[in-house]
Amino acid sequence: MNVALEPHRTDERLRKLLHIGFGLGSISLRWLPWQAAAGIAALAVLGNWLVLHRIFGRGVSRHERGFDEGIVLYPAVVLALILVFRPHLGIATVCWCIHVFGGGFANVAGKHFAP
């Protein structure tokens, strides 16, 4: 039996909504000690690598294997920001917000308002 496999399709809207939604966690940096924030970010690295595609399906990936590097690198960069700016988590928060809301909303707005 020859079954044609359907080509992989990325759900960019879901990706960006997850991107923005997880970015709301940046608000928590105001109250969390840097050690707790770093631990949560480290868990997010593992979760995005091992679990996220199982919860939301392969549509969150730009690659047909079901996950891509960007999904894992996002919380890794947040972890790096927390570790580098641990005495001044406000700087890490601003960098995270620029990344999340700038990129996420630019993509969503571009798709919505495209000619």
Side-chain angles (χ1 to χ4, degrees):
M1 183 164 105
N2 188 5
V3 177
L5 295 176
E6 191 172 320
H8 176 73
R9 292 197 176 121
T10 301
D11 186 347
E12 279 298 322
R13 184 171 178 253
L14 174 62
R15 281 178 60 86
K16 291 305 174 181
L17 289 173
L18 285 170
H19 186 75
I20 293 166
F22 286 126
L24 294 174
S26 64
I27 298 165
S28 69
L29 292 182
R30 179 173 173 90
W31 298 282
L32 289 175
W34 75 266
Q35 298 93 334
I40 293 167
L43 286 174
V45 171
L46 291 173
N48 284 10
W49 177 38
L50 300 171
V51 179
L52 188 69
H53 61 283
R54 292 186 175 138
I55 294 171
F56 291 100
R58 293 176 34 176
V60 297
S61 172
R62 289 191 177 130
H63 195 278
E64 59 272 354
R65 69 179 173 235
F67 66 92
D68 56 37
E69 294 80 14
I71 290 172
V72 178
L73 286 174
Y74 172 15
V77 168
V78 171
L79 175 59
L81 286 169
I82 291 167
L83 294 175
V84 168
F85 297 111
R86 67 178 178 247
H88 308 286
L89 284 183
I91 296 170
T93 302
V94 169
C95 294
W96 189 2
C97 286
I98 289 170
H99 170 70
V100 168
F101 298 109
F105 282 116
N107 184 285
V108 170
K111 301 268 186 213
H112 182 70
F113 295 110

